[in-house]
Amino acid sequence: MPRGRDEPATVRVYTVCDESKYLIIRNVPSLGCGDELGTLFSSYGPLEECKAMDAEDCEEYTDVFFIKFSQVSNARFAKRKLDESVFLGNRLQVSYAPQFESILDTKEKLEVRRNEVLGRIRSSVGSRSERLTQYSPGQGSSSGNLHHHMSPNKREYTKTLHASHIEDVRFSHVSSNKDYFPSESMNATVNLVRQKLDKIQSGSDGSNAVAASKKPRVDDRRRI
């Protein structure tokens, strides 16, 4: 049953049985524009038939057209795009017409949908297994690809972490004259701090030596 002109559009979920390559278009202006309507719908897929339905009840100054696509997917696309669209001043009302299907059409429609569902299931399972293989720690190829896509800084950082696991930090020795920074001013600051620390350490060692060389004072005073 067609909805009224002022009635708001409702959301409806269509199953494969409701969908069809046969469409009925209502609220088409009575201006002899069948060719223009066919051209509009043929932009979404090849048409097998496009004709006016004179026996259908319709509003005054409007016509009802019957359109048959060659594939259900084209009819689905056309309905989604052209339903409630404006055509020559009128808002089209596009609906499926599965009652015009033959047994062969219904069988073909169900087989197409079955293949679509199977294809989606296989693609989802394949992509999931591919992701698991890519992130598996036991696969050398995935780790090689990951290392290939790393930036140079990340590669150096990874090498440093790997070396730190192999070499014990407690037994590693770093020279005190080594420059840690690429900037000369920063290295000069580090050297200045080292010199001050060396002076403090040598001063503390000297004070300890002087304190050790002093003899303890003997109290010779008489006690009353």
Side-chain angles (χ1 to χ4, degrees), residues 131-186:
R131 287 196 300 269
L132 292 175
T133 305
Q134 181 179 2
Y135 293 105
S136 177
Q139 295 291 337
S141 60
S142 61
S143 60
N145 294 333
L146 183 61
H147 182 74
H148 176 72
H149 291 291
M150 278 185 178
S151 61
N153 295 333
K154 289 185 177 180
R155 290 198 194 101
E156 293 297 330
Y157 180 71
T158 306
K159 291 180 181 179
T160 305
L161 289 178
H162 184 67
S164 64
H165 286 292
I166 297 176
E167 183 180 0
D168 194 347
V169 182
R170 294 175 299 175
F171 300 100
S172 62
H173 177 74
V174 180
S175 174
S176 60
N177 297 326
K178 183 179 178 181
D179 293 337
Y180 289 94
F181 304 100
S183 176
E184 296 181 359
S185 59
M186 297 180 70

Side-chain angles (χ1 to χ4, degrees), residues 63-81:
D63 291 331
V64 180
F65 275 80
F66 172 83
I67 288 181
K68 178 183 178 182
F69 279 90
S70 59
Q71 296 181 3
V72 180
S73 58
N74 300 135
R76 186 189 307 126
F77 188 36
K79 183 185 184 305
R80 185 168 65 248
K81 293 296 184 179

Side-chain angles (χ1 to χ4, degrees), residues 1 13 20 28 41 48 55 66 71 74 87 96 100 108 141 143 166 169 174 211:
M1 180 178 180
V13 178
S20 176
V28 181
F41 276 82
E48 294 185 1
F66 172 83
Q71 296 181 3
N74 300 135
F87 176 73
Y96 292 116
F100 293 99
E108 180 184 358
S141 60
S143 60
I166 297 176
V169 182
V174 180

Side-chain angles (χ1 to χ4, degrees), residues 82-100:
L82 297 179
D83 190 20
E84 296 295 333
S85 64
V86 178
F87 176 73
L88 298 179
N90 283 11
R91 194 174 294 274
L92 298 179
Q93 298 175 1
V94 184
S95 59
Y96 292 116
Q99 64 270 21
F100 293 99

Side-chain angles (χ1 to χ4, degrees), residues 5 26-31 56-64 90:
R5 179 176 299 177
R26 300 181 181 274
N27 203 31
V28 181
S30 298
L31 301 175
E56 286 289 327
D57 295 333
C58 58
E59 295 183 5
E60 193 175 4
Y61 306 115
T62 62
D63 291 331
V64 180
N90 283 11

Side-chain angles (χ1 to χ4, degrees), residues 1-64:
M1 180 178 180
R3 61 176 177 271
R5 179 176 299 177
D6 299 331
E7 184 180 354
T10 57
V11 178
R12 181 179 178 184
V13 178
Y14 292 93
T15 64
V16 64
C17 295
D18 296 325
E19 294 179 349
S20 176
K21 60 183 178 180
Y22 298 92
L23 297 178
I24 293 180
I25 297 88
R26 300 181 181 274
N27 203 31
V28 181
S30 298
L31 301 175
C33 53
D35 295 337
E36 290 81 357
L37 186 68
T39 302
L40 176 63
F41 276 82
S42 63
S43 60
Y44 296 93
L47 300 181
E48 294 185 1
E49 192 174 356
C50 178
K51 64 180 182 179
M53 303 178 68
D54 299 330
E56 286 289 327
D57 295 333
C58 58
E59 295 183 5
E60 193 175 4
Y61 306 115
T62 62
D63 291 331
V64 180

